[in-house]
Amino acid sequence: SVSRAIKPFAEPGRPPDWFSQKHCASQYSELLETTETPKRKRGEKGEVVETVEDVIVRKLTAERVEELKKIIKETQEKYRQLKRDAELIQAGHMDNRLEELCNEIMM
């Protein structure tokens, strides 16, 4: 059920069997094996004990946040470059390259 639920969020280029139940189970098993098990603490009743699943969620969330920050940074840089190019075109400084830029856009 998890494999079907996350399939719409796939990145392009994933193999067709990426979301098969077998593949998802093997990836989850690998995560469990490579994640350090949190040490249990003796404490008072009602104390929340962190589980392996909590550690995995925190780790993967942090990784995804870093990926998204990188994507945002790249997108912002691309936007700045396009804005500079647009300003140069409007100012007439790139008239000699207009045909080349049109060809790049068409491709």
Side-chain angles (χ1 to χ4, degrees), residues 5-78:
I6 63 174
K7 195 170 189 173
F9 304 105
E11 296 115 13
R14 293 284 185 198
D17 67 338
W18 183 258
F19 292 102
S20 69
Q21 289 179 352
K22 183 179 178 181
H23 192 261
C24 285
S26 69
Q27 285 192 324
Y28 183 69
S29 176
E30 184 180 325
L31 276 173
L32 288 176
E33 290 171 7
T34 59
T35 303
E36 189 175 314
T37 307
K39 295 179 181 173
R40 293 194 174 260
K41 299 175 188 173
R42 292 186 181 223
E44 295 182 23
K45 263 189 173 179
E47 184 179 323
V48 177
V49 179
E50 190 174 51
T51 63
V52 176
E53 291 83 5
D54 294 333
V55 173
I56 290 171
V57 168
R58 190 171 4 93
K59 176 185 168 192
L60 293 177
T61 300
E63 287 176 9
R64 184 63 178 154
V65 166
E66 289 304 314
E67 287 174 11
L68 292 173
K69 284 180 182 179
K70 182 180 174 186
I71 291 169
I72 289 170
K73 188 175 181 180
E74 290 170 357
T75 303
Q76 287 174 335
E77 184 57 40
K78 187 176 179 180

